[in-house]
Every structure is written in C-alpha cells, then in structure tokens.
Amino acid sequence: FSADNGLSESSGHFFLSFTYMTTAATIISGAVAERITLEAYFVIIFFVTIFAYPVVVHWVWSDSGWLSPWSTDSLNDGALDFSGSVVIHLFGGTNALTLAALIGPRKLRDNISVFSPE
C-alpha cells in the first residue's frame, strides 16, 4: 500500500491477516461440511478466529513469540514460516481434524450411492 492511496501500512497488514484467518476458516469448513448446522459452524468459527487464531499466529509471527525465529527469549532457533503457509494450514488442519473426530462421520454416508441406477 502506498501513501498516495490514503491507506496506511497497518491497513495492509490487517487485510493480509484477515485473508489468512479466512483461509484457516475455510479449511475447517471443508471438514465439517454436512456434519453440523450453519449456525453451529458460525459459532465455532467465531471462537476459533477471535480467540485461538491470534494466539497461534503470535507464537510464530511476533518478535516476542516463543516460536519466532527473531525472538531473543526462545530456547530454539524458532520456526521460519514462508509466507504464512505452515501456520495457516497447520492451524486449520488441526482444528478440522479435531472437529471431525469430535463430530463423527457424516449421516447417511453409506446409504447414498451416486452410481446406483434408480
């Protein structure tokens, strides 16, 4: 974002973080599709994106995060995340796997056959 369009650098960082957060939410939606109601999905995504996501990305992307490669306090060398892909996909995938395991299989999954003639 340049200074002549009226947007600050923090606006750009917010937009980038917002798109990463929505990517993590869509990974979760694929795992719980047809297993929960839309209202339940909204509640889950609200709590995941408001409370859990900021904590996890702070661990890696903040200078003071315990997994940050730029942290002076860390006991290790930290995790170097190229373009945010590891944090986003690991966060979304872990939540998706956990929710799918808690919810169980899709209903009627064995009773429906796409290839059976009717």
Side-chain angles (χ1 to χ4, degrees):
F1 290 87
S2 63
D4 51 352
N5 66 6
L7 297 174
S8 66
E9 186 175 339
S10 64
S11 298
H13 288 294
F14 174 79
F15 182 72
L16 184 65
S17 295
F18 180 76
T19 57
Y20 283 160
M21 180 183 63
T22 56
T23 301
T26 59
I27 293 170
I28 296 169
S29 73
V32 298
E34 299 178 1
R35 297 177 197 225
I36 60 174
T37 64
L38 185 61
E39 293 83 9
Y41 172 72
F42 285 148
V43 170
I44 290 168
I45 292 303
F46 174 78
F47 284 106
V48 165
T49 58
I50 298 298
F51 299 110
Y53 178 82
V55 172
V56 173
V57 298
H58 174 79
W59 290 344
V60 178
W61 294 340
S62 171
D63 291 341
S64 61
W66 68 277
L67 285 174
S68 174
W70 300 280
S71 175
T72 57
D73 303 350
S74 73
L75 301 173
N76 54 20
D77 293 333
L80 188 59
D81 184 23
F82 179 72
S83 184
S85 61
V86 173
V87 173
I88 300 307
H89 288 89
L90 187 60
F91 176 79
T94 305
N95 280 291
L97 179 64
T98 304
L99 286 169
L102 289 172
I103 296 167
R106 290 179 173 94
K107 294 179 182 172
L108 303 174
R109 71 178 180 150
D110 295 330
N111 298 339
I112 299 172
S113 176
V114 177
F115 300 107
S116 66
E118 300 206 27

